[in-house]
Amino acid sequence: MSLMEKHAIFEKNSIVLLLGIVIMIAIGGLVEVVPLFYLKSTIEKVEGMRPYTPLELAGRNIYIREGCYNCHSQMIRPMRDEIERYGHFSLAAESMYDHPFQWGSKRNGPDLARVGNKYSDKWHVEHMINPRAVVPDSIMPGYPFLAKTELDTRHLADVVKTNALVGVPYTEDQIANVAVDVAAQKNPDDKNVDAFLKRYPKSVARDFSGQPGKLTELDAVVAYLQVLGTLVDFSLYDDKANLR
């Protein structure tokens, strides 16, 4: 019996074909799943990652609330064109404290994985209020109300606690000082700035929205955008990625 004749057994008998499909799917699934039982973690540890500050976390929640992820991904793929446009490809560890992560594939707008420190706070403020003022061809809607809406911090401590419950390593000290740290990050002259910077390395304290004395939702969003892609020193990974 030739090979083609043997194959005809599967083509003419639906039960045999179905059984063969199930067996192949089972083998493929085992090959992918079994190795995971022998790994302590599927996420490579990298230096520099930390939980979001309370203000950054609030900004991230507003970012999600306004549906920004519908047009912006935060996942740079390991392909030459993406790396040249956006920077080093995304590492799984960069999203280890994101619930939910913002990787996705939708790109009506550019990927934001490395947007931190790419533009000034003033640029972000103007862009959020009137996108076409800085990007004439932008199709992004404006969010001027963010600059006028006071940031509600009443439940922010609960949000931090919830993140801690799902594995984000917030300390008791960080949880106890949520309100203090929000005020300190907004105001570089605050008496608690040094303690805030100690609790959250690689963070910055400044007036993000340009409205001294007023804590707005825009402050939170800009603080979040400015931290994206800034925590990891990617020069340590360039050789591995063959980017040099």
Side-chain angles (χ1 to χ4, degrees), residues 104-160:
S105 60
K106 187 67 172 175
R107 283 185 180 163
N108 288 33
D111 188 279
L112 299 182
R114 303 278 174 266
V115 75
N117 291 334
K118 186 175 182 180
Y119 305 102
S120 67
D121 293 342
K122 184 178 180 181
W123 187 95
H124 280 295
V125 169
E126 293 181 358
H127 185 246
M128 294 299 296
I129 294 174
N130 179 15
R132 278 149 295 285
V134 290
V135 184
D137 295 330
S138 175
I139 61 173
M140 173 178 157
Y143 296 86
F145 61 89
L146 295 179
K148 303 175 183 177
T149 306
E150 184 177 349
L151 181 65
D152 186 354
T153 61
R154 291 174 298 173
H155 305 294
L156 191 51
D158 293 330
V159 174
V160 173

Side-chain angles (χ1 to χ4, degrees), residues 23-85:
I23 292 173
M24 294 307 297
I25 292 176
I27 293 174
L30 289 173
V31 169
E32 292 187 354
V33 174
V34 170
L36 298 179
F37 289 97
Y38 298 92
L39 296 175
K40 291 183 178 180
S41 175
T42 57
I43 299 178
E44 179 184 5
K45 292 183 178 180
V46 298
E47 296 182 5
M49 287 304 301
R50 61 159 172 78
Y52 293 113
T53 68
L55 186 62
E56 293 163 359
L57 184 60
R60 184 176 187 276
N61 288 339
I62 295 169
Y63 177 97
I64 295 173
R65 181 194 75 192
E66 298 301 327
C68 301
Y69 58 87
N70 287 320
C71 292
H72 296 283
S73 64
Q74 289 177 26
M75 180 181 68
I76 303 169
R77 297 156 182 80
M79 295 180 285
R80 176 64 61 180
D81 60 331
E82 298 219 353
I83 292 170
E84 288 184 348
R85 180 178 182 186

Side-chain angles (χ1 to χ4, degrees), residues 182-217:
V182 169
Q185 188 167 15
K186 163 69 176 180
N187 180 13
D189 296 322
D190 191 286
K191 63 180 181 180
N192 297 303
V193 166
D194 290 339
F196 159 71
L197 295 176
K198 185 176 180 180
R199 278 189 283 270
Y200 295 95
K202 292 189 176 182
S203 58
V204 295
R206 61 177 183 252
D207 179 13
F208 293 95
S209 69
Q211 301 180 78
K214 185 178 181 181
L215 179 62
T216 68
E217 291 189 342

